Amino acid sequence: MIQIIDNFLLEEEFKSIQSLMMGYEFQWFYSEGRVRKDDGLFDMVHMFYQPEVGLNSTHLSIWKTFMDKVEAKRCMRIKANLTFKTSEPDPTLYHRDYPDIKTAIFYINTNNGYTEFENGVIVNSVSNRVCIFDSNFKHRGIPHTEGGNQRIVVNFNYD
């Protein structure tokens, strides 16, 4: 099942997160590859948390309400992805983030990019929308061609 919830966070909390992540002081890091290091695509990432390393970001606390609302018991990773506007939608490879847990994709800004599932379901990038699904469902990101210069999503992997 793929669950889509609009206006997931209260407006004030969401606007605070959106302002932080789209602001000039938020740190993004270059990533050679969107799905795999050798996939020929690039993006910018901000790793909030991963168990192998632990706390990766001074901003992890902004996701407390989010994690409470999805009823996460254990966090495997919280990772933000920033892609830039392209002239043609250049899809990434279908992939699974982690096996046998849950994945949530949280959309920070609205544009014409989207998440596409292997079964044909499309979830448009709409700010403050979350898409929650079984992590075994293969999905891919489709970059945007309209709607600002950047597309920002945050991936949560948890159980």
Side-chain angles (χ1 to χ4, degrees):
M1 182 172 93
I2 299 170
Q3 184 179 15
I4 301 166
I5 306 168
D6 286 331
N7 303 309
F8 188 69
L9 295 176
L10 293 176
E11 186 70 14
E12 184 177 320
E13 183 173 12
F14 173 72
K15 288 293 186 188
S16 175
I17 290 169
Q18 183 185 51
S19 178
L20 170 71
M21 293 186 70
M22 295 187 79
Y24 292 109
E25 294 181 15
F26 191 78
Q27 293 183 317
W28 292 98
F29 302 91
Y30 178 75
S31 177
E32 189 76 42
R34 289 190 200 148
V35 176
R36 292 190 321 253
K37 189 171 182 141
D38 63 347
D39 66 12
L41 303 170
F42 70 92
D43 64 357
M44 304 297 284
V45 300
H46 183 97
M47 189 69 72
F48 287 96
Y49 177 80
Q50 62 189 122
E52 313 83 74
V53 179
L55 178 66
N56 292 78
S57 171
T58 58
H59 302 292
L60 181 62
S61 63
I62 67 174
W63 300 117
K64 182 180 179 347
T65 301
F66 186 97
M67 296 301 279
D68 288 346
K69 283 190 79 167
V70 298
E71 300 177 350
K73 294 171 186 57
R74 180 178 58 131
C75 180
M76 296 302 295
R77 182 178 72 176
I78 302 173
K79 177 186 170 209
N81 299 306
L82 182 154
T83 55
F84 298 100
K85 182 168 70 173
T86 59
S87 57
E88 295 292 324
D90 191 12
T92 61
L93 302 170
Y94 283 110
H95 65 280
R96 295 178 183 98
D97 295 342
Y98 285 85
D100 305 322
I101 57 174
K102 289 184 180 178
T103 295
I105 300 175
F106 188 61
Y107 301 89
I108 299 299
N109 61 327
T110 299
N111 51 66
N112 72 338
Y114 54 93
T115 302
E116 181 178 28
F117 289 86
E118 198 171 46
N119 66 5
V121 171
I122 289 175
V123 180
N124 294 315
S125 294
V126 175
S127 61
N128 202 10
R129 170 178 282 177
V130 67
C131 174
I132 302 169
F133 55 96
D134 180 303
S135 66
N136 292 313
F137 290 0
K138 286 188 173 184
H139 61 283
R140 65 182 180 177
I142 308 297
H144 72 294
T145 59
E146 298 174 3
N149 291 322
Q150 56 193 10
R151 175 178 185 253
I152 300 174
V153 301
V154 182
N155 286 29
F156 297 83
N157 305 109
Y158 63 95
D159 58 5

